[in-house]
Amino acid sequence: MLSNIGKVLESRDIQKASGGAVEWARRVRELRDEEGYQILSHKDRSDLKPGQYLLETDKRVPAFKRGISKETRAWVLERNGYTCQMCGMAAGDPDPFGGSRTVRLTMGHIIDKSKGGGDTPSNLRAICTNCNEGLQNTSLPKPDRIYLLAQIRRATIDDQSAVLEWLIKKFESKNVVKPRRG
Ligand SMILES: [Zn+2]
């Protein structure tokens, strides 16, 4: 796989490359979950078909041990922008259930552990404690762009500024703000 960075590989190619090993699928999992290679599958990218794998970079994410390590937690929180992936509340927002408390984030399993889901970064996401405890029925589909923009347009100038500030902070820290042309 390392010699095919950026190329979509079919499972039969990987099988061949690993000497026809029957256990190639387990090997792929090991490379991903224990050695930290960011091997993407159709679960990560909609343009990949089942049985196709892609290694975009040879950069490895920190080695993740069994159980959720501090490193895994930090990495997942960073990836999810310190935001609950169910209701969208951010760490430190006022807790809608908690009076003076603020929202706290915890690790949620995408595939439940009881159904065989692991403690690996690909199966973890940031969830607030309210959603984790099932207090909120907020597993809503993500709002579409037109709806979202409409909501922002009818918000107060103060709220629009807060949105702008949040967006600037979010994108500045990741260096993805593109320079303005002209
Ligand atoms: Zn939540």
Side-chain angles (χ1 to χ4, degrees), residues 58-148:
D58 61 358
K59 218 178 107 193
R60 289 157 70 175
V61 294
F64 297 108
K65 302 175 203 103
R66 287 188 173 275
I68 305 171
S69 66
K70 246 193 239 168
E71 291 79 9
T72 302
R73 221 185 114 78
W75 193 82
V76 170
L77 287 174
E78 167 80 31
R79 184 192 62 194
N80 288 158
Y82 301 91
T83 302
C84 173
Q85 298 302 291
M86 285 176 81
C87 69
M89 300 290 277
D93 280 350
D95 188 330
F97 291 87
S100 60
R101 283 192 309 172
T102 54
V103 168
R104 283 191 308 120
L105 294 176
T106 180
M107 291 288 103
H109 290 86
I110 295 164
I111 298 171
D112 202 78
K113 286 192 96 168
S114 64
K115 291 184 179 127
D119 288 332
T120 55
S122 57
N123 192 44
L124 292 169
R125 58 181 178 169
I127 293 290
C128 74
T129 48
N130 291 331
C131 287
N132 195 44
E133 289 156 18
L135 286 177
Q136 307 190 85
N137 187 17
T138 45
S139 199
L140 302 166
K142 288 198 195 259
D144 71 42
R145 192 180 300 177
I146 290 170
Y147 172 78
L148 203 54

Coordinates of all heavy atoms in Angstrom, one line a residue, residues 58-148:
D58 N 1.4 9.0 3.7 CA 2.1 8.0 4.6 C 2.2 8.5 6.0 O 2.9 8.0 6.9 CB 3.5 7.7 4.0 CG 4.4 8.9 3.9 OD1 3.9 10.0 4.2 OD2 5.6 8.7 3.5
K59 N 1.6 9.7 6.2 CA 1.6 10.3 7.6 C 0.7 9.4 8.5 O -0.4 9.0 8.1 CB 1.0 11.7 7.6 CG 1.6 12.6 8.5 CD 1.0 14.0 8.4 CE 0.2 14.3 9.6 NZ -0.7 15.5 9.5
R60 N 1.3 9.0 9.6 CA 0.6 8.1 10.5 C 0.0 8.9 11.7 O 0.7 9.8 12.2 CB 1.5 7.0 11.0 CG 1.9 6.0 9.9 CD 3.1 5.3 10.2 NE 3.0 4.4 11.3 CZ 3.9 3.5 11.6 NH1 5.1 3.5 11.0 NH2 3.8 2.7 12.6
V61 N -1.2 8.5 12.1 CA -1.7 9.1 13.3 C -1.2 8.4 14.5 O -0.8 7.2 14.4 CB -3.3 9.1 13.3 CG1 -3.8 10.0 12.1 CG2 -3.8 7.7 13.1
P62 N -1.2 9.0 15.7 CA -0.6 8.4 16.8 C -1.1 6.9 17.0 O -2.2 6.7 16.7 CB -1.0 9.3 18.0 CG -1.4 10.6 17.4 CD -1.8 10.3 16.0
A63 N -0.2 6.1 17.5 CA -0.6 4.7 17.7 C -1.7 4.6 18.7 O -1.6 5.2 19.8 CB 0.6 3.9 18.1
F64 N -2.7 4.0 18.4 CA -3.9 3.9 19.3 C -3.9 2.5 20.0 O -3.9 1.5 19.3 CB -5.2 4.1 18.6 CG -5.2 5.5 18.0 CD1 -5.1 5.7 16.6 CD2 -5.3 6.6 18.8 CE1 -5.1 7.0 16.1 CE2 -5.3 7.9 18.3 CZ -5.2 8.1 16.9
K65 N -3.9 2.5 21.3 CA -3.9 1.3 22.0 C -5.4 0.8 22.2 O -6.3 1.5 21.9 CB -3.3 1.4 23.3 CG -1.8 1.9 23.2 CD -1.3 2.2 24.6 CE -0.1 3.1 24.6 NZ -0.5 4.5 25.0
R66 N -5.5 -0.4 22.8 CA -6.9 -0.8 23.1 C -7.4 0.1 24.2 O -6.6 0.6 25.0 CB -6.9 -2.2 23.6 CG -6.7 -3.2 22.4 CD -6.9 -4.6 22.9 NE -6.8 -5.4 21.7 CZ -7.9 -5.7 20.9 NH1 -9.0 -5.2 21.2 NH2 -7.8 -6.4 19.8
G67 N -8.7 0.3 24.3 CA -9.2 1.3 25.2 C -9.0 2.7 24.6 O -8.2 2.8 23.7
I68 N -9.7 3.7 25.1 CA -9.6 5.0 24.5 C -8.5 5.7 25.3 O -8.7 6.1 26.4 CB -10.9 5.7 24.6 CG1 -12.0 4.9 23.9 CG2 -10.8 7.1 23.9 CD1 -13.4 5.5 24.1
S69 N -7.4 5.9 24.6 CA -6.3 6.6 25.2 C -6.5 8.1 25.2 O -7.4 8.6 24.5 CB -5.0 6.3 24.5 OG -5.0 6.8 23.2
K70 N -5.7 8.8 26.0 CA -5.8 10.3 26.0 C -5.5 10.8 24.6 O -6.2 11.8 24.2 CB -4.6 10.8 26.9 CG -5.2 11.5 28.2 CD -4.0 12.2 28.8 CE -3.8 11.7 30.2 NZ -2.5 12.2 30.8
E71 N -4.5 10.2 23.9 CA -4.2 10.7 22.6 C -5.4 10.5 21.6 O -5.7 11.4 20.8 CB -3.0 9.9 22.0 CG -1.7 10.2 22.7 CD -1.5 9.4 24.0 OE1 -2.4 8.6 24.3 OE2 -0.6 9.7 24.8
T72 N -6.0 9.4 21.7 CA -7.2 9.1 20.8 C -8.3 10.2 21.1 O -8.8 10.7 20.1 CB -7.8 7.7 21.1 OG1 -6.8 6.7 20.9 CG2 -8.9 7.4 20.2
R73 N -8.5 10.4 22.3 CA -9.6 11.3 22.7 C -9.3 12.7 22.2 O -10.1 13.3 21.5 CB -9.6 11.4 24.3 CG -10.9 11.5 24.9 CD -10.7 11.7 26.4 NE -11.2 13.0 26.8 CZ -12.5 13.3 26.9 NH1 -13.4 12.4 26.7 NH2 -12.9 14.5 27.2
A74 N -8.0 13.1 22.4 CA -7.6 14.5 21.9 C -7.7 14.6 20.4 O -8.2 15.6 19.8 CB -6.2 14.8 22.3
W75 N -7.3 13.5 19.7 CA -7.3 13.5 18.2 C -8.8 13.5 17.7 O -9.1 14.3 16.8 CB -6.6 12.2 17.8 CG -6.3 12.2 16.3 CD1 -5.2 12.8 15.7 CD2 -7.0 11.6 15.3 NE1 -5.3 12.6 14.4 CE2 -6.4 11.9 14.1 CE3 -8.2 10.8 15.2 CZ2 -6.8 11.4 12.8 CZ3 -8.7 10.4 14.0 CH2 -8.0 10.7 12.8
V76 N -9.7 12.8 18.3 CA -11.1 12.7 17.9 C -11.7 14.1 18.1 O -12.5 14.6 17.3 CB -11.8 11.6 18.6 CG1 -13.3 11.7 18.3 CG2 -11.3 10.2 18.1
L77 N -11.5 14.7 19.3 CA -12.1 16.0 19.6 C -11.6 17.0 18.6 O -12.4 17.8 18.1 CB -11.7 16.4 21.1 CG -12.4 15.6 22.2 CD1 -11.8 16.0 23.5 CD2 -13.9 15.9 22.2
E78 N -10.3 17.0 18.3 CA -9.8 17.9 17.3 C -10.4 17.7 16.0 O -10.9 18.7 15.3 CB -8.2 17.7 17.3 CG -7.5 18.4 16.1 CD -7.3 19.9 16.4 OE1 -7.1 20.2 17.6 OE2 -7.3 20.6 15.4
R79 N -10.5 16.5 15.6 CA -11.1 16.2 14.3 C -12.6 16.7 14.2 O -13.0 17.2 13.2 CB -11.1 14.7 14.0 CG -11.6 14.3 12.6 CD -11.8 12.8 12.5 NE -12.8 12.3 13.4 CZ -13.0 11.0 13.8 NH1 -12.2 10.1 13.3 NH2 -13.9 10.7 14.6
N80 N -13.3 16.5 15.3 CA -14.7 16.9 15.3 C -14.9 18.4 15.7 O -16.0 18.8 16.0 CB -15.5 16.0 16.3 CG -15.7 14.6 15.7 OD1 -15.9 13.7 16.5 ND2 -15.6 14.4 14.4
G81 N -13.8 19.1 15.8 CA -13.9 20.5 16.1 C -14.5 20.8 17.5 O -15.2 21.9 17.6
Y82 N -14.3 19.9 18.4 CA -14.8 20.1 19.8 C -16.3 20.4 19.8 O -16.8 21.2 20.6 CB -14.0 21.2 20.5 CG -12.6 20.9 20.6 CD1 -11.7 21.4 19.6 CD2 -12.0 20.2 21.7 CE1 -10.3 21.1 19.7 CE2 -10.7 19.9 21.7 CZ -9.8 20.3 20.7 OH -8.5 20.0 20.8
T83 N -17.0 19.7 18.9 CA -18.4 19.9 18.7 C -19.2 18.6 18.8 O -18.7 17.6 18.2 CB -18.7 20.6 17.4 OG1 -18.0 21.8 17.3 CG2 -20.2 20.8 17.1
C84 N -20.3 18.5 19.5 CA -21.1 17.3 19.6 C -21.6 17.0 18.2 O -22.2 17.8 17.5 CB -22.3 17.5 20.5 SG -23.4 16.1 20.5
Q85 N -21.3 15.7 17.7 CA -21.7 15.3 16.4 C -23.1 15.0 16.2 O -23.6 14.7 15.1 CB -20.8 14.2 15.9 CG -19.3 14.6 15.9 CD -19.0 15.8 15.0 OE1 -19.1 15.6 13.8 NE2 -18.7 16.9 15.6
M86 N -23.9 15.0 17.3 CA -25.3 14.8 17.2 C -26.1 16.1 17.3 O -26.9 16.3 16.4 CB -25.8 13.9 18.4 CG -25.4 12.4 18.1 SD -25.8 11.3 19.5 CE -27.6 11.0 19.1
C87 N -25.9 17.0 18.2 CA -26.7 18.2 18.4 C -26.0 19.4 17.9 O -26.6 20.5 17.8 CB -27.2 18.3 19.8 SG -26.0 18.7 21.0
G88 N -24.7 19.4 17.8 CA -23.9 20.5 17.3 C -23.5 21.5 18.4 O -22.8 22.5 18.1
M89 N -23.8 21.2 19.7 CA -23.3 22.0 20.8 C -21.8 21.9 20.9 O -21.3 20.8 20.7 CB -24.0 21.7 22.1 CG -25.5 21.8 22.1 SD -26.1 23.5 22.0 CE -26.0 24.0 23.8
A90 N -21.1 23.0 21.3 CA -19.7 22.9 21.4 C -19.3 22.9 22.9 O -20.1 23.3 23.8 CB -19.0 24.1 20.8
A91 N -18.1 22.3 23.2 CA -17.7 22.3 24.6 C -17.6 23.7 25.1 O -17.2 24.6 24.5 CB -16.3 21.6 24.6
G92 N -18.2 23.9 26.3 CA -18.2 25.2 26.9 C -19.4 26.0 26.6 O -19.7 27.1 27.3
D93 N -20.3 25.6 25.7 CA -21.6 26.3 25.4 C -22.4 26.1 26.7 O -22.3 25.1 27.4 CB -22.3 25.6 24.3 CG -21.8 26.1 22.9 OD1 -21.1 27.1 22.9 OD2 -22.2 25.5 21.9
P94 N -23.4 27.0 27.0 CA -24.3 26.8 28.1 C -25.1 25.5 27.9 O -25.6 25.3 26.8 CB -25.2 28.0 28.0 CG -24.6 29.0 27.1 CD -23.6 28.2 26.2
D95 N -25.1 24.7 28.9 CA -25.8 23.4 28.9 C -27.4 23.7 28.9 O -27.9 24.3 29.8 CB -25.5 22.6 30.1 CG -26.0 21.2 30.0 OD1 -27.1 21.0 29.3 OD2 -25.4 20.2 30.5
P96 N -28.1 23.3 27.8 CA -29.5 23.6 27.7 C -30.3 22.9 28.9 O -31.4 23.3 29.2 CB -29.9 23.0 26.4 CG -28.9 22.1 26.0 CD -27.6 22.6 26.6
F97 N -29.7 21.9 29.5 CA -30.4 21.2 30.6 C -29.8 21.6 31.9 O -30.3 21.1 33.0 CB -30.3 19.7 30.4 CG -31.0 19.1 29.3 CD1 -30.5 19.1 28.0 CD2 -32.3 18.7 29.4 CE1 -31.2 18.6 26.9 CE2 -33.1 18.2 28.3 CZ -32.5 18.2 27.1
G98 N -28.7 22.3 32.0 CA -28.0 22.3 33.2 C -27.9 23.6 33.9 O -27.0 23.8 34.8
G99 N -28.8 24.6 33.7 CA -28.7 25.8 34.4 C -27.4 26.5 34.1 O -27.2 27.0 33.0
S100 N -26.5 26.5 35.1 CA -25.3 27.3 35.0 C -24.2 26.4 34.5 O -23.0 26.8 34.3 CB -24.9 27.9 36.3 OG -24.7 26.8 37.3
R101 N -24.5 25.1 34.2 CA -23.4 24.2 33.7 C -23.1 24.5 32.2 O -23.9 25.2 31.5 CB -23.9 22.7 33.8 CG -23.8 22.2 35.2 CD -24.0 20.7 35.2 NE -25.1 20.3 34.4 CZ -25.4 19.0 34.1 NH1 -24.6 18.0 34.5 NH2 -26.5 18.7 33.5
T102 N -22.0 24.0 31.8 CA -21.6 24.1 30.4 C -21.6 22.7 29.8 O -21.5 21.7 30.5 CB -20.3 24.9 30.2 OG1 -19.3 24.2 30.9 CG2 -20.3 26.3 30.6
V103 N -21.7 22.7 28.5 CA -21.7 21.4 27.7 C -20.3 20.7 27.9 O -19.3 21.4 27.7 CB -22.0 21.7 26.2 CG1 -21.7 20.5 25.4 CG2 -23.4 22.2 26.1
R104 N -20.4 19.4 28.2 CA -19.1 18.6 28.2 C -19.2 17.6 27.2 O -20.3 17.0 26.9 CB -19.0 18.0 29.6 CG -18.5 19.0 30.7 CD -18.1 18.2 32.0 NE -19.2 17.3 32.4 CZ -19.0 16.0 32.6 NH1 -17.8 15.5 32.3 NH2 -20.0 15.3 33.0
L105 N -18.1 17.3 26.6 CA -18.0 16.3 25.5 C -17.4 15.0 26.0 O -16.5 15.0 26.8 CB -17.2 16.9 24.3 CG -17.8 18.1 23.6 CD1 -16.8 18.5 22.5 CD2 -19.1 17.7 23.0
T106 N -17.9 13.9 25.4 CA -17.3 12.6 25.8 C -17.2 11.9 24.5 O -17.5 12.3 23.4 CB -18.3 11.9 26.8 OG1 -17.8 10.7 27.1 CG2 -19.7 11.8 26.2
M107 N -16.6 10.7 24.6 CA -16.4 9.8 23.4 C -17.7 9.0 23.1 O -18.1 8.2 24.0 CB -15.2 8.9 23.5 CG -13.9 9.6 23.5 SD -13.4 10.3 21.9 CE -13.8 12.0 22.1
G108 N -18.2 9.0 21.9 CA -19.3 8.1 21.6 C -18.9 7.1 20.5 O -18.1 7.5 19.7
H109 N -19.4 5.9 20.6 CA -19.1 4.9 19.6 C -20.1 5.0 18.5 O -21.3 5.1 18.7 CB -19.1 3.5 20.2 CG -18.0 3.3 21.2 ND1 -18.1 3.6 22.5 CD2 -16.8 2.7 21.0 CE1 -16.9 3.3 23.1 NE2 -16.1 2.8 22.2
I110 N -19.6 5.0 17.2 CA -20.5 5.1 16.1 C -21.2 3.7 15.9 O -22.4 3.6 15.9 CB -19.7 5.4 14.8 CG1 -19.2 6.9 15.0 CG2 -20.6 5.3 13.6 CD1 -18.1 7.3 14.0
I111 N -20.4 2.6 15.9 CA -21.0 1.3 16.0 C -20.8 0.9 17.5 O -19.7 0.9 18.0 CB -20.3 0.3 15.1 CG1 -20.5 0.7 13.6 CG2 -20.9 -1.1 15.3 CD1 -19.7 -0.1 12.7
D112 N -21.9 0.6 18.1 CA -21.9 0.3 19.6 C -20.9 -0.8 19.9 O -20.8 -1.8 19.1 CB -23.3 0.0 20.0 CG -23.5 0.2 21.5 OD1 -23.6 1.4 21.9 OD2 -23.4 -0.8 22.3
K113 N -20.3 -0.7 21.1 CA -19.4 -1.8 21.4 C -20.1 -3.2 21.5 O -19.5 -4.2 21.2 CB -18.7 -1.5 22.8 CG -17.7 -0.4 22.7 CD -16.9 -0.2 23.9 CE -15.6 -1.0 23.8 NZ -14.6 -0.7 24.8
S114 N -21.3 -3.1 22.0 CA -22.1 -4.4 22.1 C -22.3 -5.0 20.7 O -22.6 -6.2 20.6 CB -23.4 -4.1 22.8 OG -24.2 -3.3 22.0
K115 N -22.2 -4.2 19.7 CA -22.4 -4.7 18.3 C -21.0 -4.9 17.6 O -21.0 -5.0 16.4 CB -23.3 -3.8 17.5 CG -24.7 -3.8 18.0 CD -25.6 -3.0 17.2 CE -27.1 -3.1 17.7 NZ -27.6 -1.7 18.0
G116 N -20.0 -4.9 18.4 CA -18.7 -5.2 17.8 C -17.8 -4.0 17.4 O -16.8 -4.1 16.9
G117 N -18.3 -2.8 17.7 CA -17.6 -1.6 17.4 C -16.4 -1.5 18.3 O -16.5 -1.8 19.5
G118 N -15.3 -1.0 17.8 CA -14.1 -0.9 18.6 C -13.8 0.5 19.2 O -14.6 1.5 18.9
D119 N -12.7 0.7 19.9 CA -12.3 2.0 20.5 C -11.4 2.7 19.5 O -10.5 3.5 20.0 CB -11.6 1.7 21.8 CG -12.6 1.3 22.9 OD1 -13.8 1.7 22.8 OD2 -12.2 0.6 23.8
T120 N -11.5 2.5 18.2 CA -10.6 3.1 17.3 C -11.1 4.4 16.8 O -12.3 4.6 16.9 CB -10.4 2.2 16.1 OG1 -11.7 1.9 15.5 CG2 -9.7 0.9 16.5
P121 N -10.2 5.3 16.5 CA -10.6 6.7 16.1 C -11.7 6.7 15.0 O -12.6 7.5 15.0 CB -9.4 7.3 15.5 CG -8.3 6.5 16.1 CD -8.8 5.2 16.4
S122 N -11.7 5.7 14.1 CA -12.7 5.7 13.0 C -14.0 5.3 13.5 O -15.0 5.5 12.9 CB -12.2 4.7 11.9 OG -12.0 3.4 12.5
N123 N -14.1 4.7 14.7 CA -15.4 4.4 15.3 C -15.8 5.3 16.4 O -16.8 5.0 17.1 CB -15.4 2.9 15.8 CG -16.8 2.4 16.1 OD1 -17.7 2.6 15.4 ND2 -17.0 1.8 17.3
L124 N -15.1 6.4 16.6 CA -15.4 7.3 17.7 C -15.8 8.6 17.2 O -15.4 9.1 16.1 CB -14.2 7.4 18.6 CG -13.8 6.2 19.4 CD1 -12.4 6.4 20.1 CD2 -14.8 5.9 20.5
R125 N -16.6 9.3 18.0 CA -17.0 10.7 17.6 C -17.2 11.5 18.9 O -17.6 10.9 20.0 CB -18.2 10.8 16.7 CG -19.4 10.1 17.3 CD -20.6 10.1 16.4 NE -21.7 9.4 17.0 CZ -22.9 9.5 16.5 NH1 -23.2 10.1 15.4 NH2 -23.9 8.8 17.1
A126 N -17.1 12.8 18.9 CA -17.4 13.6 20.0 C -18.9 13.7 20.2 O -19.6 14.0 19.2 CB -16.8 15.0 19.8
I127 N -19.4 13.4 21.4 CA -20.8 13.5 21.7 C -20.9 14.2 23.1 O -20.1 14.0 24.0 CB -21.3 12.0 21.9 CG1 -21.3 11.3 20.6 CG2 -22.7 12.0 22.5 CD1 -22.3 11.8 19.6
C128 N -21.9 15.1 23.2 CA -22.0 15.8 24.5 C -22.7 14.8 25.5 O -23.3 13.8 25.1 CB -22.8 17.1 24.4 SG -24.6 16.9 24.2
T129 N -22.5 15.1 26.8 CA -23.0 14.1 27.8 C -24.5 14.0 27.7 O -25.1 13.0 27.9 CB -22.6 14.6 29.2 OG1 -22.8 15.9 29.4 CG2 -21.1 14.3 29.4
N130 N -25.2 15.1 27.3 CA -26.7 15.0 27.2 C -27.1 14.0 26.1 O -28.0 13.2 26.3 CB -27.3 16.4 26.8 CG -27.2 17.4 28.0 OD1 -27.2 16.9 29.1 ND2 -27.1 18.6 27.7
C131 N -26.4 14.1 24.9 CA -26.8 13.2 23.8 C -26.4 11.8 24.2 O -27.1 10.8 23.9 CB -26.1 13.6 22.5 SG -26.9 15.1 21.8
N132 N -25.2 11.7 24.9 CA -24.7 10.4 25.2 C -25.7 9.7 26.2 O -25.9 8.5 26.1 CB -23.4 10.5 25.9 CG -22.6 9.2 26.0 OD1 -22.6 8.4 25.0 ND2 -22.0 8.9 27.1
E133 N -26.4 10.5 27.0 CA -27.3 9.9 28.0 C -28.7 9.8 27.4 O -29.6 9.4 28.1 CB -27.3 10.7 29.3 CG -26.0 10.6 30.1 CD -25.8 11.8 31.0 OE1 -26.7 12.5 31.3 OE2 -24.6 11.9 31.4
G134 N -28.8 10.2 26.1 CA -30.1 10.1 25.5 C -31.1 11.1 25.9 O -32.3 11.0 25.8
L135 N -30.6 12.2 26.5 CA -31.5 13.3 27.0 C -32.1 14.0 25.8 O -33.2 14.6 26.0 CB -30.7 14.2 27.9 CG -30.4 13.7 29.3 CD1 -29.6 14.8 30.1 CD2 -31.7 13.4 30.1
Q136 N -31.4 14.1 24.7 CA -31.9 14.9 23.6 C -32.1 13.9 22.4 O -31.3 13.1 22.1 CB -30.9 15.9 23.2 CG -30.4 16.8 24.3 CD -29.6 17.9 23.8 OE1 -30.2 19.0 23.4 NE2 -28.3 17.8 23.8
N137 N -33.3 14.1 21.8 CA -33.5 13.3 20.6 C -33.1 14.2 19.4 O -33.9 14.7 18.7 CB -35.0 12.9 20.5 CG -35.2 12.0 19.4 OD1 -34.3 11.4 18.9 ND2 -36.5 11.8 19.0
T138 N -31.8 14.3 19.3 CA -31.3 15.3 18.3 C -30.5 14.7 17.2 O -29.7 15.4 16.6 CB -30.5 16.4 19.0 OG1 -29.6 15.8 19.9 CG2 -31.4 17.4 19.7
S139 N -30.7 13.4 16.9 CA -29.9 12.8 15.9 C -30.5 13.2 14.5 O -30.8 12.4 13.7 CB -29.8 11.3 16.0 OG -28.7 10.8 15.3
L140 N -30.6 14.5 14.3 CA -31.3 15.0 13.1 C -30.3 15.0 12.0 O -29.1 15.1 12.2 CB -31.7 16.5 13.4 CG -32.7 16.7 14.5 CD1 -32.8 18.2 14.9 CD2 -34.0 16.1 14.2
P141 N -30.8 15.0 10.8 CA -29.9 15.1 9.6 C -29.2 16.5 9.7 O -29.8 17.4 10.2 CB -30.8 15.0 8.4 CG -32.2 15.2 8.9 CD -32.2 14.9 10.3
K142 N -28.0 16.6 9.1 CA -27.4 17.9 9.1 C -28.2 18.9 8.3 O -28.8 18.5 7.3 CB -26.0 17.8 8.5 CG -25.0 17.0 9.4 CD -23.6 17.2 8.9 CE -22.7 16.2 9.6 NZ -22.0 16.7 10.7
P143 N -28.3 20.1 8.8 CA -29.1 21.1 8.0 C -28.5 21.4 6.7 O -27.3 21.4 6.5 CB -29.1 22.4 8.9 CG -27.8 22.2 9.7 CD -27.6 20.7 9.9
D144 N -29.4 21.5 5.7 CA -28.8 21.8 4.3 C -28.4 23.2 4.2 O -28.8 24.1 5.0 CB -29.7 21.3 3.2 CG -31.0 22.1 3.0 OD1 -30.8 23.4 3.1 OD2 -32.0 21.5 2.8
R145 N -27.6 23.5 3.2 CA -27.0 24.8 3.1 C -27.9 26.0 3.0 O -27.8 27.0 3.6 CB -26.0 24.8 2.0 CG -25.0 25.9 2.0 CD -24.1 25.9 0.8 NE -23.3 24.7 0.8 CZ -22.4 24.4 -0.1 NH1 -22.3 25.1 -1.2 NH2 -21.7 23.3 0.0
I146 N -29.0 25.7 2.2 CA -29.9 26.8 1.9 C -30.7 27.2 3.2 O -30.8 28.3 3.5 CB -30.9 26.4 0.8 CG1 -30.2 26.4 -0.5 CG2 -32.1 27.4 0.7 CD1 -30.9 25.8 -1.7
Y147 N -31.1 26.1 4.0 CA -31.7 26.4 5.2 C -30.8 27.1 6.2 O -31.2 28.1 6.9 CB -32.2 25.0 5.8 CG -32.7 25.1 7.2 CD1 -34.0 25.6 7.4 CD2 -32.0 24.8 8.3 CE1 -34.5 25.6 8.7 CE2 -32.5 24.8 9.6 CZ -33.7 25.3 9.8 OH -34.2 25.4 11.1
L148 N -29.6 26.6 6.3 CA -28.6 27.2 7.2 C -28.4 28.7 6.9 O -28.4 29.5 7.8 CB -27.3 26.4 7.1 CG -26.3 26.4 8.2 CD1 -27.0 26.0 9.5 CD2 -25.2 25.5 7.9

